[in-house]
Structures are given as C-alpha cells and as structure tokens.
C-alpha cells in the first residue's frame, strides 16, 4: 500500500507544478494581473484567485482559465478549474491591492488595535490611513472632532478588508 501512495503523490506534485507554471505564464501575458491565491486540492480541483491593478473583469478570468485549460490534457489527468477575482469582502493579501482601494474605507487589524479609516496612500512599505474621532476638548467642556492619521507598515497588518457601505 505504501509503495502505491508515493507515485501518486509525485504525480500530484508534477500536475500541480505544471499548473503553477501555466498560471505564471498566463500572468506574465498580462502584467497588470497578479495572483492572490492558488490551490490544487484532492481530485485535481484547481482554484485560482486573481486581482489586477485596474481590477479584474470577466475576460481576464476567461483568458487565465483558457491559458491553463488549453495546455492540460483531460485524457492524461482529469481536473476541474475555477478562476475568479478576489471578492469585494475578501481580505487584502497583496500590496498591489491597496492601491486599487485608495479613497475607500478599510478595516485594518494590527497586533495592537483595529482601525476603521479611509485609505489615503499605499506606498512600498506602509499604508496611510485617515479618520475622524470625537475627543474631549483640550480647553473647556464637551468634545471636538479631531482628524487622525496613521502610517501602518504592511508587516503589522494582520487583516485588512474594504468596508462596504450603501
């Protein structure tokens, strides 16, 4: 029994590597697209999640799907393939995604706090958030609205999601 599992494992890894190579080639064809997630599960279910500097449209998903599917042989290895864009409520995983969301409200979790604020800049090493908060007045009674700004390094972001408002 043990001897039979090893070859199937290597066959699976070879299939996964081939799919990864085809995916890489497809993304190189359109440099504005980038990979968010890729997996090949048991039964050769291929799942690809992509995003793009200008967003992702249906044709982008079709193009990536075809680049993979047309270079695999179902007679040799059966598979299912799903190519999709990152969902609106999916956490941001790649630095390039932040640039698409400048001007939108994000909920950003760091080790010390959770900030819900407008993303005003996305640099190479950190994002800049801005929000307003009511604080006690420095002089006198009552509260005043104060603008806050924070630079959050990507390394400190545990999770960031776009806040959808209607």
């Amino acid at each position: 029994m043990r001897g039979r599992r090893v070859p199937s494992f290597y066959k699976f890894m070879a299939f996964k590597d081939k799919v990864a190579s085809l995916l890489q080639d497809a993304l190189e064809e359109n440099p504005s697209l980038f990979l968010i997630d890729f997996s090949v599960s048991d039964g050769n279910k291929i799942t690809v999640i992509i995003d793009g500097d200008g967003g992702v449209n249906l044709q982008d998903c079709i193009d990536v799907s075809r680049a993979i599917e047309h270079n695999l042989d179902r007679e040799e290895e059966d598979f299912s393939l799903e190519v999709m864009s990152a969902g609106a409520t999916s956490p941001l995983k790649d630095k390039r995604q932040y640039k698409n969301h400048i001007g939108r409200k994000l909920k950003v979790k760091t080790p010390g706090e959770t900030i819900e604020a407008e993303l005003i800049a996305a640099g190479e090493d950190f994002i800049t958030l801005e929000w307003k908060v009511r604080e006690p007045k420095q002089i006198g009674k009552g509260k005043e609205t104060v603008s806050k700004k924070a630079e959050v390094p990507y390394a400190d972001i545990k999770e960031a999601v776009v806040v959808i408002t209607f």
Side-chain angles (χ1 to χ4, degrees), residues 1 3 8 15 26 28 40 49 56 68 76 98 103 119 122 134 138 148 155-156 159:
M1 185 77 171
S8 66
F15 178 75
E28 286 174 4
V40 179
I49 302 173
V56 175
I68 295 169
E76 191 178 299
Y98 288 87
L119 176 65
R134 300 280 293 160
Q138 301 247 341
K148 297 270 189 171
D156 291 350
E159 182 181 79

Side-chain angles (χ1 to χ4, degrees), residues 48-64:
V48 177
I49 302 173
I50 56 174
D51 205 343
D53 295 324
V56 175
N57 60 40
L58 180 59
Q59 191 61 51
D60 293 329
C61 293
I62 291 169
D63 292 345
V64 170

Side-chain angles (χ1 to χ4, degrees), residues 2-18:
R2 180 177 259 178
R4 294 183 65 164
R5 286 183 53 100
V6 173
S8 66
F9 172 75
Y10 288 121
K11 189 176 180 182
F12 173 77
M13 290 309 292
F15 178 75
K16 186 175 181 178
D17 289 345
K18 182 174 184 177

Side-chain angles (χ1 to χ4, degrees), residues 64-120:
V64 170
S65 178
R66 284 184 180 155
I68 295 169
E69 187 169 13
H70 289 184
N71 290 293
L72 295 175
D73 183 359
R74 287 189 191 274
E75 297 295 321
E76 191 178 299
E77 194 76 41
D78 194 27
F79 63 91
S80 67
L81 173 62
E82 186 175 24
V83 177
M84 65 189 100
S85 64
T89 58
S90 299
L92 304 180
K93 294 185 177 182
D94 189 285
K95 288 181 187 183
R96 289 171 70 178
Q97 288 181 287
Y98 288 87
K99 289 180 172 55
N100 290 344
H101 297 290
I102 291 173
R104 296 178 107 178
K105 187 181 249 186
L106 299 183
K107 184 175 186 177
V108 179
K109 292 181 185 176
T110 66
E113 63 184 332
T114 298
I115 303 169
E116 199 166 301
E118 181 182 347
L119 176 65
I120 59 168

Side-chain angles (χ1 to χ4, degrees), residues 118-129:
E118 181 182 347
L119 176 65
I120 59 168
E124 194 59 39
D125 299 317
F126 57 86
I127 60 172
T128 305
L129 300 170

